[in-house]
Each structure stands twice: as C-alpha cells, then as structure tokens.
Amino acid sequence: METPAAAAPAGGFFPSFLLLAFGTLVAAVLGTAHRLGLFYQLMHKVDKTSTRHGGESVAAVLRAHGVRFVFTLVGGHISPLLVACEKLGIRVVDTRHEVTAVFAADAVARLTGTVGVAAVTAGPGLTNTVTAVKNAQVAQSPVLLLGGAASTLLQKRGALQAIDQMSLFRPLCKFCASVRTVRDIVPTLRAAMAAAQSGTPGPVFVELPLDVLYPYFMVEKEMVPAKLPKGLMGRVVFWYLQNCLTNLFVGAWEPRPEGPLPLNIPQASPQQIQRCVEILSRAKRPLLVLGSQALLPPTPATKLRAAVETLGVPCFLGGMSRGLLGRNHPLHIRQNRSAALKKADVVVLAGAVCDFRLSYGRVLNRKSKIIIVNRNRDDMLLNSDVFWKPQEAVQGDVGSFILKLVEGLQGQMWASDWGEELRKADQQKEQTYRDKAGMPVSQHLNPVWVLQQVEEMLPDNALLVVDGGDFVATAAYLVQPRGPLRWLDPGAFGTLGVGAGFALGAKLCQPDAEVWCLFGDGAFGYSLIEFDTFVRHKIPVMALIGNDAGWTQISREQVPRLGSDIACGLAYTGKGSEFSRPSWASVILLGGPSATVLTYFLLDYHKAAIGLGAQGLMLSRDNEDQVVKVLHEGQQLCQAGHAVVVNILIGRTDFRDGSISV
C-alpha cells in the first residue's frame, strides 16, 4: 500500500516543472531584450535630429592616435569616414588600386612606429587588399584596415558587394571586429589600434557597415517604411525595424575616451639578461644578427645604434635594420654571412628568424652558442631542435634587450682580430663585385656597373624602396642605405608590387628625403598606373627600372633545369629604336651560339610615365657615357617636384647565378 510520504514527490513534480519552465521563459525574454538593446535604450537616448554620423567617430579616434594619413580607393560604403577625416585635418590619399593603399599604410607603420591606416570599400575593395594585408602580417607591420560593408540588416541577404569579410580576414589579422552600433565605433577602434602594436605587431581589421557610418535621417529613410503598415505582422516588422534603428544610434554621441590604450610589449626578464651577459662575456668570436624587430618602438633608432656601437660586436643587418649603422661602418659586415656564422662561437639572433633566410638554421654552427630574442615565440623557436638549438631563447622586445645587454656587459671589449678577419673577407668579396662591374655584357648596360654608379651618387637623405627580383637582389649587395629606416623591402613574404605604395607612404612620412625606387621591369608593371597618383598628389619620387625584358630571377633556374623559358620573357613591344639580341633560351636548347636571333623593340616605360604626367628618361648603351648625367637630371627633376621614371636597359650577367627563387 502506497504511503503519503511516497506519493509526495510525484505530487510536487508539476510545480517544479512549471517553475523551471517559467524561469526558462523569463531568461529567454531577458536575453532577447538584451540582444535587441531594450535595456540599454532605457538608460540612454537617441538624438533623432542630429546630422552627425559614424564617420566622425572614426576620424576622431584616428586623430587622437596621431594618424596623419588615410590611404584609400573611394567607395560609397566608406565615404562618411573619408569626409570626416578631411574635416579633422587627416590627409586622405586616394590610389588607383586598393592594394597600393595598404602598402602605403604599411610603409607609414614601418617608418613612424605607429599604426598605418587604409580604408577601402566593401567586397572587391577588400578582397583586393588581401596580398598587402598578408605581407604586413608576415612583416609584422601594424596596419589598420577599415572596410565598408553592407547594412547590418542586409548582410546575408544578397546585398551589393556583401560577402563574409570577417572569415576572409581572421587568418590574416591579429584582431577582427564588425561594428554593429555607432556607440561601439570608438571602443572597437581603440582596441584594434592597441592590438596592432602590442606583442608581435601586425595588421588588424575593423568592418564598418553602411548604417553605422551614415547619419540617422539617411539610415531611417532606407531602413524604416515611411508609413505604418496595416495588419499585425506588418506592425511587428515595423516595430522591429524601428527598434533596430534606435539600437543603432542610442547613446551614439555620448562622450567617450578616444586616445590610445596601454600597449603590451613583452620584455626579457633580468635573469635572462644576466645569463645572456655571461654567455657573451666569454665569447672570442661573437656575432650579432639584427632583424626588423630591432627597429620597433619603444627604442629609438639613434639609441639602438649607440648601443650597438658600444657593444662593439661585428654585425649583419637585415630587413628594417638595414642602414642602422649608416654607410661603411666598421662593425657592419655585409658579405659572406654564412661563412661568418660558421666561424662564430656566440651568435645573437636579435629579431632574426631561422627560416629560409638563414637556411632554416642549417647555416649555424652546432658548436656555437646561440642567443635568440624575439617578440614572437613561434618565430623564435622556428626549426629549433631540428637544424639548430638555442642556448638562451628570450621572448621580448629586441631593442630593449640590446640596451640591457650593453648595460650588463659594462663596456667589455673583444679582440680586434675577429672583426679584422670579417672585414678583410668583406673587402675581397667587394673586389669581385668591382671586377664583375667591369666585365662586358652582350647588350645594353652592365647592371652591376649601373648600380655601382647609383651607390656612388646616392644622397645622404635618400630613402630606398626596392621592388623586384634579380635587379633588386643585385642592388641589395651593392647599394647601401645611408641611415636607419631608409630601406623598405617587402619582407619575408617576397611580394612583388610593393613599390608604388611604399614610395607613397615613405615620401609622405619623410617629405625632406629623396625617395629612390629600384624596380625590376616585371615588378614595375604593378606600379606604373600609380604614377598618376604621384602626379595628382604632388608626390615626387624617382624610379629606376632595371629593364632586361624578362622575369630573370626565375629564368636563371628554369632554363638550365627545365630547358624552357616559357612565361619568363617580357617582350619589347613599344615604339622605339629596334635592336636584336640572341635568344638565350635557344642557345641552351640548340647548344651553340648559332641560335636564332630574334628582333625586339624597346618597351617605353619612361614614355608611359610621361603619359601619366610624370617625367621620363632613358639609359642604354647609346648614352652609356652619360649615365651619371642622366641620373643627376632625374634627381633634379625630382627635387623640382616631379615624379620621375628612368628606364635603364640592362643586359645579363652571372652575378646571381645559382641564387634560388623558391
């Protein structure tokens, strides 16, 4: 027989169930109210009469962060922020391709130590930037990309140029956010700017939908029907749209902090510094390899240079650290890096990475003691315990580490014979370059000789931008930057097409510098149209094109290995003086100098530049004795405010035979 006590739990089930169901319903209602912004609307107001717009909030944050330039290719999705930037005195520079805008922002970031900013329209405007954003990621450059987007309610509904932009940029950026209300613009941008510069710097992306950027009255006109619909469902939809509009603008113009947030920059611990001091103090043949991270804030280049000079260790400079010690400094070793690394007993890799540039670490001597410092742990330990092993791995800021290392060593000196040995090997290698410069080529000008002339006449205030393969790689051996932050190359991603954007950003950052661009003829194809940009914005830069009518860096390997020059040739196809050259691919295939002689015409890059409003000059064997004179003429035109292209016809040498391109 069932007792009352046993029946009690069954009788209490229904009240418990009802209580649970009621609690679930209340939670769902409260959650929905929160998502609809109803609670926030109770405490904040919407100014329906205001003509202000979200673009003004974007511009205010940029100005508060010291941004001086915004690079763009205009589109209706982003017009409000561009207009607002202009009103606040931020210079808006429009380019002919979105990728150029991001490259220009990248250059600003590298040269100023702040965030470079580019703004592009939705869809294809953003997809056009992907290569430049990836290049900035690999180069660890703090770039803020602002992207337009379809209105929040029209996303995933087939709106014009609407794609899933967030999924596209998440793998490329440190920080990605889509702003959903006007009040979120300021805090989102502040967080993005801090993320770009903290830790390992890199690009960040903020998506700004149309309805977040435009003023209330315009958004209302597009979003909410002018008349209240009939019927229950129509009224529900009307209320929903009205609420979305209110939530977009509620609290939009309340004062908020706009300035920079604190940055998180990793630092080496005192214990790590002390261990590195002890290792280096016992070295007989120390070597320092500086990479791009050494030039990152907060350590100024001048202070870092003084520390390296005080340290007194022979060093190799790469990436953005090129030029740190100026020209012909006794501590700067430029040649025979692999041999030097094999002989060194202690190597300090300060921002350098054991990737393909250091043969994945195989170039290091296993008996050497390796100290490596890097902000990024993955980069720091790349290929370790495979081809090399660090004695001390320090995750921290490179510049600060060098300063503390010098302080700990307290002026210790090393025997001079090690440095003398390296400098003597340097001089011998450079003599071989002089010998190659004097060797005749079958046609046109010897590129080694041309670049030696450039090196001799390059002014002290020159800023070098390099974009290309064979010609630029040759220049890296021969042309020395005159000081810190005066050399811009793509970085480890090896991207072609950076030249115009880098030159644009560089000249705006350093208007008193002479910006000299060294282009391969293949790479110049990406940048030619941007000479219209230089002319329109009165940006005087000087471009030198090493024109050998081919993708020579690739053909050096492809032809001897695979027996074909397919896709490696750039035909001379303009109007101009006719000349002949032997087809070097045919020489290899047919096995002798009797190969077919093909006829080509001069490709008039300089005349194309003239057509865009720039100045154009040409150098060839016909005016070989006037090379310096023509370069000086181009320099004077540039100083007078003109963008200049010097088309230099060059022949082939064996200077880089054996160099890899993969």
Side-chain angles (χ1 to χ4, degrees):
M1 182 177 180
E2 187 176 356
T3 64
F13 169 77
F14 291 104
S16 300
F17 173 77
L18 291 175
L19 184 62
L20 178 62
F22 179 74
T24 302
L25 178 62
V26 170
V29 170
L30 292 176
T32 301
H34 175 73
R35 286 193 296 273
L36 292 173
L38 298 180
F39 296 132
Y40 192 85
Q41 292 173 32
L42 291 174
M43 298 177 287
H44 301 271
K45 295 182 179 180
V46 177
D47 185 355
K48 298 182 180 180
T49 63
S50 175
T51 58
R52 296 182 62 183
H53 55 78
E56 296 174 8
S57 298
V58 175
V61 174
L62 298 183
R63 182 177 64 175
H65 283 74
V67 173
R68 296 162 53 206
F69 313 105
V70 170
F71 301 95
T72 189
L73 197 159
V74 70
H77 291 83
I78 58 169
S79 290
L81 77 86
L82 300 179
V83 172
C85 285
E86 181 190 32
K87 288 182 178 179
L88 291 186
I90 299 172
R91 184 170 177 181
V92 176
V93 184
D94 60 303
T95 63
R96 296 296 296 268
H97 196 292
E98 290 90 350
V99 76
T100 304
V102 179
F103 283 139
D106 187 343
V108 169
R110 299 190 198 194
L111 295 176
T112 64
T114 59
V115 177
V117 181
V120 300
T121 197
L126 274 162
T127 58
N128 277 345
T129 70
V130 167
T131 296
V133 173
K134 183 63 183 182
N135 192 76
Q137 182 190 45
V138 175
Q140 300 175 352
S141 188
V143 170
L144 169 62
L145 177 62
L146 302 173
S151 298
T152 51
L153 289 180
L154 293 180
Q155 292 181 8
K156 298 183 180 180
R157 293 181 181 274
L160 174 67
Q161 299 180 333
I163 60 171
D164 184 0
Q165 298 172 163
M166 299 299 291
S167 295
L168 183 64
F169 284 95
R170 281 193 188 99
L172 305 177
C173 296
K174 294 182 62 182
F175 175 101
C176 284
S178 181
V179 177
R180 313 312 287 178
T181 67
V182 179
R183 64 183 176 272
D184 290 333
I185 291 176
V186 170
T188 302
L189 287 178
R190 295 177 76 210
M193 299 282 270
Q197 300 171 87
S198 293
T200 305
V204 294
F205 171 59
V206 176
E207 181 183 75
L208 298 162
L210 269 168
D211 45 5
V212 170
L213 287 181
Y214 278 83
Y216 182 92
F217 71 93
M218 291 186 183
V219 177
E220 181 185 33
K221 183 178 179 181
E222 296 296 325
M223 181 181 289
V224 182
K227 294 182 180 180
L228 182 65
K230 297 179 181 180
L232 178 62
M233 184 56 67
R235 291 174 183 270
V236 169
V237 172
F238 182 88
W239 175 87
Y240 176 77
L241 295 175
Q242 186 66 55
N243 182 74
C244 289
L245 176 65
T246 301
N247 193 46
L248 270 171
F249 286 90
V250 65
W253 316 124
E254 295 174 3
R256 292 177 176 83
E258 298 168 345
L261 294 170
L263 303 182
N264 178 21
I265 299 177
Q267 298 289 339
S269 69
Q271 295 79 10
Q272 289 175 312
I273 295 290
Q274 184 56 39
R275 289 196 294 270
C276 293
V277 166
E278 292 172 1
I279 293 170
L280 197 55
S281 66
R282 294 191 290 269
K284 301 298 182 184
R285 298 184 305 281
L287 200 61
L288 176 63
V289 182
L290 284 172
S292 293
Q293 279 193 13
L295 272 293
L296 289 176
T299 305
T302 51
K303 199 169 183 179
L304 179 64
R305 172 175 176 158
V308 171
E309 290 177 327
T310 301
L311 187 62
V313 171
C315 63
F316 288 92
L317 306 175
M320 290 303 298
S321 73
R322 284 176 178 268
L324 176 67
L325 299 178
R327 186 186 184 197
N328 298 324
H329 195 285
L331 286 177
H332 182 200
I333 311 302
R334 303 182 64 240
Q335 318 295 344
N336 305 298
R337 186 176 67 179
S338 297
L341 287 169
K342 288 294 185 185
K343 292 182 179 180
D345 59 354
V346 174
V347 178
V348 181
L349 300 176
V353 181
C354 289
D355 55 14
F356 69 94
R357 291 167 291 183
L358 288 176
S359 299
Y360 310 98
R362 287 177 294 194
V363 73
L364 300 172
N365 190 332
R366 288 188 176 272
K367 296 181 180 179
S368 301
K369 293 180 177 176
I370 310 298
I371 298 170
I372 187 164
V373 55
N374 200 293
R375 290 194 187 191
N376 186 289
R377 179 174 176 80
D378 291 338
D379 285 351
M380 180 175 67
L381 299 178
L382 190 64
N383 297 310
S384 64
D385 299 320
V386 178
F387 299 117
W388 69 287
K389 187 176 181 65
Q391 181 80 11
E392 192 69 38
V394 181
Q395 185 176 1
D397 176 60
V398 173
S400 303
F401 171 83
I402 296 294
L403 297 185
K404 293 173 183 175
L405 191 66
V406 171
E407 191 177 309
L409 287 164
Q410 297 179 345
Q412 177 171 331
M413 304 292 289
W414 285 268
S416 60
D417 56 344
W418 168 235
E420 288 296 332
E421 178 185 343
L422 296 177
R423 283 190 290 273
K424 184 177 180 180
D426 239 21
Q427 293 165 2
Q428 291 173 347
K429 193 65 172 285
E430 287 173 359
Q431 181 58 50
T432 66
Y433 297 161
R434 286 190 287 271
D435 294 341
K436 288 183 181 295
M439 295 175 61
V441 291
S442 60
Q443 58 180 3
H444 307 312
L445 300 174
N446 184 326
V448 180
W449 178 79
V450 169
L451 288 166
Q452 284 188 340
Q453 307 312 304
V454 173
E455 163 63 17
E456 290 301 319
M457 66 173 296
L458 201 66
D460 289 339
N461 71 338
L463 196 158
L464 287 160
V465 172
V466 297
D467 183 11
D470 200 68
F471 185 68
V472 165
T474 302
Y477 289 95
L478 302 171
V479 182
Q480 299 186 54
R482 294 337 196 209
L485 299 176
R486 296 199 170 266
W487 175 280
L488 283 173
D489 63 30
F493 201 39
T495 309
L496 289 183
V498 302
F502 278 12
L504 178 61
K507 187 61 179 179
L508 288 170
C509 287
Q510 299 187 19
D512 295 332
E514 289 189 21
V515 176
W516 288 52
C517 308
L518 303 181
F519 284 102
D521 54 331
F524 188 67
Y526 293 92
S527 290
L528 173 59
I529 193 60
E530 298 297 352
F531 275 79
D532 167 70
T533 303
F534 296 140
V535 172
R536 284 186 295 107
H537 290 284
K538 297 179 172 57
I539 307 292
V541 300
M542 181 158 163
L544 309 182
I545 306 171
N547 184 358
D548 58 4
W551 300 95
T552 306
Q553 180 160 299
I554 306 304
S555 67
R556 284 186 185 278
E557 292 181 76
Q558 180 174 311
V559 174
R561 290 184 178 184
L562 302 175
S564 171
D565 67 343
I566 185 66
C568 292
L570 293 171
Y572 292 98
T573 57
K575 293 181 180 179
S577 56
E578 184 177 344
F579 63 89
S580 299
R581 70 167 185 174
S583 169
W584 43 267
S586 298
V587 170
I588 292 172
L589 293 174
L590 301 179
S594 60
T596 305
V597 176
L598 303 180
T599 301
Y600 296 86
F601 293 89
L602 166 66
L603 187 55
D604 294 329
Y605 291 116
H606 57 299
K607 290 185 180 179
I610 293 172
L612 293 170
Q615 298 292 314
L617 303 170
M618 193 185 79
L619 281 172
S620 68
R621 187 167 288 179
D622 292 340
N623 58 350
E624 183 174 7
D625 58 336
Q626 299 181 18
V627 166
V628 174
K629 180 181 177 182
V630 171
L631 292 177
H632 272 303
E633 182 183 350
Q635 186 181 22
Q636 290 169 354
L637 287 168
C638 198
Q639 291 169 350
H642 300 284
V644 180
V645 170
V646 184
N647 186 16
I648 308 173
L649 303 188
I650 58 173
R652 287 175 50 84
T653 72
D654 63 355
F655 186 85
R656 297 189 63 249
D657 281 356
S659 299
I660 63 168
S661 56
V662 292

